[in-house]
Amino acid sequence: MTAAVGRRGPALALAAAVRAGEVSAADVVEEHLAAIAGCDGELHAFLVVLADEARAAAAAVDRQVAAGEDPGPLAGVPIALKDNLCTRGIPTTCSSRILEGWKPPYDATVVERVRAAGAVAIGKTNLDEFAMGSSTENSAFGPTRNPHDPSRVPGGSSGGSAAAVASGMAPLALGSDTGGSIRQPAALCGVVGMKPTYGAVSRYGLVAFASSLDQIGPFARTVADAALLFDVIGGHDDRDSTSLDRPAPRCSSRLDDGVGGVRIGVLRELVEGEGMDPEVRGRIREAAEALAGAGASVEEVSVPELRYALPAYYLLAPAEASSNLARYDGVRYGLRVDGPDVGAMNAATRAAGFGPEVKRRIMLGTYALSAGYYDAYYGQAQKIRTLIIGALDSAYGRVDILLGATTPTTAFALGDKVDDPLAMYLNDVCTIPSNLAGHPAVSVPFGTDGLGLPVGAQLMAPALEEGLLFQVAAVLEGAAPALGLPRVAAATLGSGGRAGGEDS
Amino acid sequence: MSGTWEPVIGLEVHCELKTATKLFCGCRNAFGDEPNTNVCPVCLGLPGSLPVLNEGAVELAMRIGTALHCEIRPSVFHRKNYFYPDMPKDYQVSQYDAPINVGGRLELPDGSTVGIERAHLEEDTGKTGHIGGEGGRIHGAAHSLVDYNRAGVPLVEIVSRPDIFSAAQARLYAGELRAILVASGSSDGRMEEGSMRVDANVSVRPAGRAELGTRCEIKNLNSLHSLARAIEHEIGRQVALIESGERVVQQTRHWDEDQGRTVTLRSKEEAFDYRYFPEPDLVPLSPSADWVADVARSMGPMPADRRRKLTELLGEAAGGRTDQIVGVVEKDLEGLVEAAVAAGIGPALALARTANEASANPDGAREVDPISYVTILRLEQEGLLSATQAKSVLATLLDHGKESAALVAKLGEKGTPAEIAARLGFEALGDDSTARLVSDAVEANPGEWARYLEGEAKLAGFFTGIVMKASKGKANGKVVAAELERLKG
């Protein structure tokens, strides 16, 4: 157990050590299972820990290494999977009662790809039911807590994945981002979280929330790890018709290219906007200065059309969700509550199986698509989407990257916003524009507020500019103030200094 | 009542495409397999699964569009949302306001033309079976079983304009459409297996008025016969309602074949709000101009084209023989007519024998050796076989199908036609014996003969009849006529 730090350090270093035969994948897995045993009682990031499967997978990696084969760029690296990603033979719940007992007969494409790259799936993480929420409090199986302050939320909907990575229970995790569900919890938990260009990562096997907005993306403690994981999961997939016809990305190679000559636009609406915490605003201003100091040209940019993003999103996403979630009717799989006829059985099943937020969105979406209302709601929201794409495109005519906050505030207390859906929805105000536009964006930890809670700086880029995005993110990460150790974390997590520091 | 009311009918026809696999996944598209064996995560709509469009289905849809003279356009898939247990996703992927085929026409054998509104692509649902109820109906059933083999099978829905004005014309339309689906290789068009399903929109209006009446949609039409019956019944029902001072209420009605009537299924108020919106899991479909052109080039002629071609070939002989022409094309036998005419057989004879004798045994006729077929027709035309004999020989020939060439070859190249006929089992009367029978007839009927000589030409038929009777039909009418002329001097 001499390389304890390395094993929990960044995925890159872990994989290198495993590939070189310096550390066994088996030891790495045990280390992380121990971390889960130590932390997850308090955090509840995992819905299921795949101890046996992970041990078997690690053993297979070690056999490959012993046989002189290369298990791949993520050799032996434990990875946590958001529980809306299908895993063959392993329950996939979406944190909903309605999927009770359902085991997918297939793996999501991203699950296949991380396994093929040598990663070891260590568990399925908690989320807001069907990814609808910003705090992970909408889970049917209880909330996840923020490792930096367990009385606070980790953000959502991928709160389990964010908390798992922040606390050192896994060096990598996958999440999904429909309106900010990767970036917002990444910001609140002090880790890197990235949403790719729509179509850059296959959605096959991601249980749909809002199909035209959903993207799978990486969580990691360093920009380099996030880029590596994105490189592994990206690229065309024949099983997803919206998957872009492009080869696998190679963002990892651009991390040292710096920001000399890169034009950064500080996005006024995501810094000065209504409800923006002054401390968060301060950190983003500092981030802008840091990039300028590193050689980027920095200017202010305003895209006033973004004020329409949130209302448009809350029509489009529920509309698609109302259709995507129709299939949970008790006929074929999951929960069934019997009734005197099929219609009554459908209704009873859905009444019992869905939580209040899911029901609220199904009703919103059903209404938005109804005859006579379609043009006023869904149709109008699509026009706003087009408007926002155009407005961002014209901003990108002047700058290469936009910088703003990921969230208006740092992590809030559990229970704070559960009774106020609108306040909860406002948490996504900074992240939603990228989903509507289909553009990539990343949240990078950049300092804390006065309570020591992490602040996330968000970088946004035009479609398919993930390379530049990671390149700038790496510079931002290098300039970021040290982030304190999470209060709940694996014992050895902090040995390398701030989260994201290299092991040594 | 008739004459004062005009029925107006539009048909919606769903046809299953003859692809190897389903519309959005690689599962087999097959009828009659063990339930729930041709299924996968995609066609079962399992969480996380995504559709991938089958290019072959698009091509068949384009073939249908081309055959119906539609414009093939860039199209978009929509979701049609409603709950039904045999629909795995509780929405159907269909096309809504941007269908692949728009604005065509179908020419019917009676010369009328019916406009085509659209022909769009969509996925089929599964099938529900009800156990323990009466006759498989849901009422009183103890439980239901769903077979998802059909879920995701590609369909094209062909919507006609309200250009049909009688039950007979509706039947003609459905029959012609079926012929086109089969001819274009797009579908089996089997109504009894459900690979072609017809719904009828029926309304009536005072004759001469342009405005349409309130329509009812009739479902559950499982054969062309049911289609015509149901429409007849529905027209009567609507006219009776109006004439008794009531109004037709817009609704969907179910055809009850046993009772011979339509019954209410649901009213307009109970109609589903399908909440259509663009299917976000699929990208818009935009067939290239090259692809559209390739499809058009690869299409064989459609029935209407073939009828036109056959009519031209027949020239004057086509007059008044529309039914025979339709029948020959329907059975795919115009090749025999063409072969015969090319070999110098009169068009009327070529059509008659093909429409009657050959059509009576279409399987044999499709396999028969055309040269042998023409040989028999020539024997008849040259008077060496009587019509009765020729029909009989043809029947034998058609029964032999593929071996027909061998059968005729066995007759040998040599020998007079009479010898050939004899070898086929027929004793054609030689000219000498015919002449003897003619003179016998003349001698036995001196009065008639005298009147014939005085110019009563129709008595030729009288003598021919006697000769035919005496020869048991073996005499050749032309030889009889020639002999009568000769005796007349």
Side-chain angles (χ1 to χ4, degrees), chain A residues 86 102 105-106 203-206 211 238-239 241-242 323-324 326-329 331-333 342 366 369-371 374 378, chain B residues 41 45-52 79 81 83 85 87-91 148 273 275-278 280-283:
Chain A
C86 288
W102 183 62
Y106 66 100
R203 292 183 296 118
Y204 191 79
L206 166 66
S211 312
D238 283 338
R239 290 175 293 187
S241 307
T242 62
S323 174
N324 282 331
R327 69 191 67 188
Y328 308 108
D329 58 8
V331 173
R332 289 160 297 274
Y333 45 77
V342 172
T366 302
L369 289 174
S370 295
Y374 180 93
Y378 189 83
Chain B
L46 293 188
S49 66
L50 293 171
V52 177
R79 290 187 186 175
N81 294 285
F83 284 89
M87 203 164 50
K89 302 181 291 292
D90 286 299
Y91 59 78
Y148 292 105
D273 177 356
R275 290 174 284 118
Y276 280 101
F277 74 104
D281 288 332
L282 291 168
V283 292

Side-chain angles (χ1 to χ4, degrees), chain B residues 450-464:
Chain B
R451 280 157 58 202
Y452 177 68
L453 291 178
E454 282 160 22
E456 208 171 323
K458 69 175 181 191
L459 280 167
F462 169 78
F463 289 108
T464 306

